[in-house]
Amino acid sequence: MQFRWGDAMKITKIIERILATIPIMLGVALIVFLFMRLTPGDPIDLMMGDGGNVSEAEEAALRSELNLDQPLHIQLKDYFFQLLQGDLGESFKKSRPVSELIAETLPATIELALAAVFVSALIGIPMGVYSAVKQNSLIDRLGMGGSFLGISMPPFWLGIVLILIFSVTFGLTPVKGRLDFEFTIPTVTGMYLVDSLLAGDFAAFRNALSHLILPALTLGSSMAAIVARITRSSMIETLKSDYVVLARAKGLPEWKVITVHALRNALIPTVTIIGLEIGVMLSGNMIVETVFGWPGLGRLAVDGIFNRDYTLVQGVVMFYAFVFVIANLLVDIVYTYLNPKLRV
């Protein structure tokens, strides 16, 4: 197979894009390090408590053990040296490696993010398609008005409202958590829906699903609004294309023209947006996880912030940045190969 100059250019651009992520990650690490150190509050005081029974010598020993007695530039040097070795450090509060804590809570966050993406696609794509087909109709106006409402509602408010309606008032869903204590699922993937199916425990599957519905709906609602608007705009342009006009001229059924000829091409920007939003959901669901008591990565970060756990917060934020940068990088690479007119 002949190697073309265009392929070499694409590979060069991709390598450049990968190298460009390195200073981004270093910049994120520096900003997080400085913000955590310069924010008022002392993690030693939180760890020792307010009992007054701790001597100054014990505080000094703990501060030395955690390397907090060193000047700021020495702490920064040690932190970057650890990062270059792939070591995210050890949590002050939990006394466990940060990488271990991230690996423990990540499956819950992935499960919630994937469920939210499913909810957003299930709601947003049909709404966008129908609004485009019935452009300027009452349904179109209501759908787009609903999308504005979905984008405008803060997730913490929506989550609380859904809890009050479905959990407190009607008792249809649990208030918080991932699974009731009476169920035990063998851990394979860490995602309870998958693990319960692998174990053949359908009662546990239903229970895990009941816990997942409200958080996924809360997290996916704003994304559903974005997906609906992007799909509508793309469908409107696609329905004006020559190949769609030709398909209608051939006498094909309208449903086939829309689903086979128009929707397939109109979904390209929608899929791109969903791909980017997956990175956002993996790295931006702290509020939803806190509201619903979801034991994922976002809640771990919030606990670290309240406890002034420097290493834990730094490690989680670095992981968030890594996920978001990789998601954008993958979308750029896919776009480069799907459309030769585009360059990374």
Side-chain angles (χ1 to χ4, degrees):
M1 185 174 66
Q2 186 178 4
F3 187 76
R4 295 176 297 178
W5 174 252
D7 294 331
M9 291 295 295
K10 287 181 179 180
I11 293 174
T12 302
K13 291 290 184 180
I14 291 172
I15 293 175
E16 290 177 356
R17 186 68 174 85
I18 293 174
L19 293 176
T21 62
I22 296 176
I24 294 175
M25 298 297 296
L26 293 176
V28 170
L30 177 61
I31 292 172
V32 174
F33 177 88
L34 293 177
F35 267 100
M36 289 301 298
R37 263 66 177 183
L38 298 177
T39 303
D42 190 347
I44 301 298
D45 292 338
L46 291 173
M47 294 173 69
M48 290 296 190
D50 300 326
N53 297 323
V54 181
S55 66
E56 293 184 2
E58 289 175 324
E59 286 191 9
L62 181 58
R63 196 178 300 276
S64 176
E65 179 184 346
L66 299 177
N67 202 32
L68 295 177
D69 60 336
Q70 299 294 326
L72 198 61
H73 68 280
I74 299 297
Q75 294 184 43
L76 180 61
K77 181 197 71 173
D78 293 341
Y79 175 56
F80 274 113
F81 184 72
Q82 285 183 325
L83 283 182
L84 293 176
Q85 292 180 317
D87 182 9
L88 296 178
E90 184 174 290
S91 168
F92 295 167
K93 190 73 174 178
K94 301 179 183 293
S95 299
R96 293 175 59 191
V98 173
S99 56
E100 184 179 301
L101 293 171
I102 290 175
E104 187 178 281
T105 55
L106 182 59
T109 296
I110 293 176
E111 185 174 47
L112 177 57
L114 292 179
V117 169
F118 175 77
V119 168
S120 66
L122 187 65
I123 297 174
I125 293 177
M127 182 186 296
V129 171
Y130 198 78
S131 295
V133 173
K134 302 293 183 180
Q135 187 181 2
N136 296 324
S137 66
L138 177 61
I139 295 178
D140 178 29
R141 297 180 188 277
L142 290 176
M144 292 302 100
S147 69
F148 273 118
L149 183 63
I151 295 173
S152 304
M153 288 188 297
F156 73 90
W157 179 84
L158 178 60
I160 293 173
V161 169
L162 291 179
I163 289 174
L164 290 175
I165 295 174
F166 293 101
S167 301
V168 177
T169 304
F170 296 106
L172 298 176
T173 58
V175 176
K176 65 177 183 177
R178 296 182 68 195
L179 194 69
D180 288 344
F181 292 110
E182 62 194 78
F183 295 99
T184 302
I185 302 175
T187 301
V188 180
T189 64
M191 294 182 284
Y192 286 175
L193 292 184
V194 177
D195 290 348
S196 59
L197 288 177
L198 292 176
D201 191 342
F202 296 104
F205 176 82
R206 289 191 296 270
N207 188 265
L209 183 61
S210 67
H211 283 80
L212 181 61
I213 289 175
L214 291 189
L217 186 59
T218 302
L219 189 60
S221 60
S222 60
M223 182 180 172
I226 297 173
V227 169
R229 296 191 65 81
I230 294 295
T231 304
R232 178 182 180 274
S233 298
S234 183
M235 275 293 293
I236 289 175
E237 293 298 321
T238 304
L239 289 173
K240 299 176 183 178
S241 302
D242 293 339
Y243 58 86
V244 174
V245 175
L246 179 60
R248 283 174 171 161
K250 289 180 178 179
L252 293 177
E254 185 66 15
W255 66 268
K256 193 170 185 179
V257 172
I258 293 172
T259 58
V260 176
H261 294 273
L263 183 59
R264 181 181 300 176
N265 293 282
L267 282 181
I268 293 176
T270 302
V271 170
T272 303
I273 291 296
I274 290 176
L276 292 174
E277 287 294 329
I278 290 177
V280 173
M281 288 185 175
L282 285 172
S283 59
N285 50 11
M286 295 182 186
I287 295 176
V288 174
E289 289 188 2
T290 302
V291 169
F292 288 95
W294 192 264
L297 203 57
R299 190 178 177 191
L300 180 68
V302 172
D303 290 342
I305 292 171
F306 282 123
N307 291 323
R308 301 285 298 167
D309 196 334
Y310 292 160
T311 52
L312 179 58
V313 175
Q314 289 167 175
V316 173
V317 173
M318 284 299 297
F319 182 79
Y320 278 158
F322 177 78
V323 169
F324 193 78
V325 167
I326 293 300
N328 281 270
L329 178 62
L330 291 177
V331 170
D332 286 344
I333 292 173
V334 171
Y335 244 56
T336 300
Y337 280 93
L338 288 180
N339 190 346
K341 295 181 180 179
L342 294 177
R343 291 291 180 264
V344 180

